[in-house]
């Protein structure tokens, strides 16, 4: 059984005590005559801070105290007014980078507003890295990703004014087409590209498919291109490397320089809770020197951030601990596998990565009425969509999946009778 050095299961009372101590290190706006901060606690007339239940709800206490986690606290100094909850955020980065993503060294990182920000942060950081290190211009840099990659990468290319190359995938297996990858990189080099920002997926939004980052790396090495590789594990980060501990999508892979994770998906944290993690020595490429009034380096895209989101992640991780979290993910994967077995019996076409909790069904094998009834999501809201997806989240019980399969069986039975007649 894998040993976890930093990720431990902690009881509720100890959690409350530790968070209470962290909040005590933060500024108390009601007691401290600090005149210069452009922030304060939540409005007491609207959000009653003396409510008795807050004593038993450390996350809500943190929201009321409203700590501002501006900057990246794993790099140098930070605003001393919020040191207590900043330390909790640093604990989160350490747990994720070392115990889940298998880094042997300290990493930098921060809690973002979500996966979109984290992906854009990575692209921004690497664009500046190439400019700062090699005196590159934007015309020499390109972004490359598969056609299943999240649309935040399109946003990044647009915002950063760099070209985006999309690599096709096999329709059935969702694997990157290696000949097309080679062809696209060859064309990029021929057109004067010298530096590549690679987005490799660990659980795509629509399919839950996982790219092999080494496939990208081998092609860039072949063409002697400078590249930086980012893993988008926004969906898969809290399940794929947990159930598949032989993964190569973390810092155990020498080609991986940064990772996106998203706590408001599998971890069930409040929305607006993603994570960006990177190897040391990279994030200072986005140091905003103009933020001179901020104590420490602001190297984040968002600037001011809620410290409560970091507390939420920390509480969830410590409530479960690594072994109970693994058990929870295995239960979700079991439900997913049972559903897949039933689909196979019915001859339904679908895609699923064996370590993920997403099933994507071919629309040709599924009546739209049934997809709508059970809330399946199409790959496109146009009439010619090809797929519908099921995501087996915590609230998706076996009974609901059984009901879906029962109605699908009934539909297939009627379909066969029509064909027979």
């Amino acid at each position: 059984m894998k040993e976890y050095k930093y990720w431990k299961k902690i009881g509720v009372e100890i959690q409350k005590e530790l968070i209470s101590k962290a909040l005590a290190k933060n500024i108390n706006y009601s007691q401290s005559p600090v005149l210069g901060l452009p922030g304060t606690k939540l409005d007491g007339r609207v959000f009653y801070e003396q409510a008795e239940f807050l004593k038993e709800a450390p996350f809500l206490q943190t929201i009321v105290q409203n700590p501002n986690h501006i900057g990246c606290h794993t790099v140098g100094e930070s605003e001393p007014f919020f040191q207590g909850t900043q330390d909790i955020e640093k604990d989160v980065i350490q747990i994720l980078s070392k115990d889940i993503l298998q880094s042997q060294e300290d990493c930098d990182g921060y809690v973002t507003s979500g996966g979109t920000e984290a992906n854009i942060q990575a692209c921004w950081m690497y664009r500046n890295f190439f400019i700062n290190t090699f005196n590159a211009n934007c015309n020499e840099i390109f972004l490359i990703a598969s056609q299943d990659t999240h649309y935040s990468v399109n946003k990044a290319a647009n915002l950063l004014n760099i070209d985006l190359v999309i690599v096709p995938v096999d329709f059935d297996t969702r694997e990157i087409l290696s000949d097309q990858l080679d062809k696209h990189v060859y064309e990029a080099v021929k057109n004067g590209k010298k530096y590549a920002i690679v987005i490799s997926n660990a659980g795509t939004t629509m399919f839950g498919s996982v790219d092999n980052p080494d496939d990208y790396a081998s092609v860039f090495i072949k063409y002697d291109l400078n590249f930086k590789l980012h893993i988008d594990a926004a969906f898969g980060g809290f399940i794929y490397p947990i159930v598949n501990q032989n993964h190569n999508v973390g810092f155990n892979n020498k080609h991986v320089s940064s990772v996106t994770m998203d706590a408001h998906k599998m971890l069930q944290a409040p929305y607006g809770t993603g994570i960006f993690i990177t190897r040391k020595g990279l994030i200072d490429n986005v140091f905003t020197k103009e933020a001179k009034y901020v104590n420490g380096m602001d190297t984040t895209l968002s600037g001011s951030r809620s410290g409560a989101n970091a507390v939420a992640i920390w509480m969830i991780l410590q409530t479960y601990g690594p072994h109970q979290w693994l058990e929870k993910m295995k239960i979700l994967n079991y439900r997913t596998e049972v559903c897949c077995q039933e689909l196979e019996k019915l001859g339904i076409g679908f895609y699923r990565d064996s370590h993920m909790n997403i099933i994507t069904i071919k629309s040709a094998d599924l009546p739209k009425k049934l997809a709508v009834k059970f809330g399946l999501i199409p790959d496109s809201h146009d009439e010619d969509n090809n797929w519908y997806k099921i995501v087996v989240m915590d609230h998706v019980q076996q009974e609901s999946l059984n009901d879906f399969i029962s109605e699908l069986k009934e539909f297939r039975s009627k379909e066969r009778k029509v064909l027979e007649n």
Side-chain angles (χ1 to χ4, degrees), residues 175-363:
E175 291 180 0
I176 292 169
L177 297 172
S178 57
D179 59 332
Q180 290 295 311
L181 172 60
D182 192 286
K183 176 186 174 184
H184 280 71
V185 174
Y186 171 78
E187 291 292 332
V189 172
K190 196 168 78 168
N191 291 328
K193 302 301 183 187
K194 299 178 181 178
Y195 312 97
I197 301 169
V198 187
I199 309 296
S200 186
N201 298 297
T204 56
T205 305
M206 188 67 207
F207 296 92
S209 51
V210 178
D211 302 332
N212 183 353
D214 296 335
D215 289 345
Y216 282 111
S218 62
V219 174
F220 289 112
I221 291 169
K222 172 183 174 181
Y223 288 102
D224 197 27
L225 267 174
N226 278 300
F227 71 96
K228 287 294 181 183
L229 195 149
H230 175 74
I231 300 290
D232 180 5
F235 188 88
F238 286 104
I239 181 168
Y240 183 80
I242 303 294
V243 300
N244 178 20
Q245 295 185 356
N246 294 319
H247 67 83
N248 66 343
V249 298
F251 297 114
N252 55 322
N253 187 331
K254 66 180 181 180
H255 300 303
V256 173
S257 292
S258 59
V259 180
T260 286
M261 300 176 81
D262 220 341
H264 60 226
K265 291 185 172 70
M266 294 307 299
L267 211 63
Q268 294 177 255
Y271 275 108
T273 312
I275 306 111
F276 174 72
I277 306 175
T278 180
R279 293 185 191 272
K280 286 283 184 183
L282 289 169
I283 202 167
D284 53 354
N285 283 287
V286 287
F287 171 45
T288 306
K289 61 182 184 297
E290 293 80 6
K292 294 179 180 179
Y293 62 85
V294 177
N295 191 351
M297 297 175 67
D298 184 10
T299 55
T300 71
L301 186 63
S302 52
S304 294
R305 303 177 288 109
S306 171
N309 292 1
V311 169
I313 299 171
W314 184 88
M315 289 178 67
I316 296 166
L317 290 172
Q318 309 295 33
T319 296
Y320 282 92
H323 304 302
Q324 195 171 349
W325 186 258
L326 172 61
E327 182 180 307
K328 179 176 179 177
M329 293 302 98
K330 283 188 172 181
I331 289 170
L332 295 183
N333 261 355
Y334 172 76
R335 292 175 191 164
T336 309
E337 179 61 28
V338 169
C339 187
C340 288
Q341 290 172 2
E342 294 299 322
L343 291 173
E344 286 177 346
K345 290 176 186 177
L346 292 170
I348 302 292
F350 67 92
Y351 170 83
R352 183 226 171 183
D353 183 284
S354 61
H355 297 103
M356 294 293 294
N357 57 322
I358 295 178
I359 308 167
T360 314
I361 300 173
K362 292 180 178 179
S363 60

Side-chain angles (χ1 to χ4, degrees), residues 65 104 112 114 128 134 151 164 167 265 306 321 356 384 398 408 414 417:
Q65 286 205 20
Q104 298 300 309
T112 71
N128 286 12
F134 302 104
Y151 62 82
L164 173 61
V167 183
K265 291 185 172 70
S306 171
M356 294 293 294
D384 59 346
Q398 191 64 55
L408 187 54
K414 290 178 180 177
K417 287 179 180 176

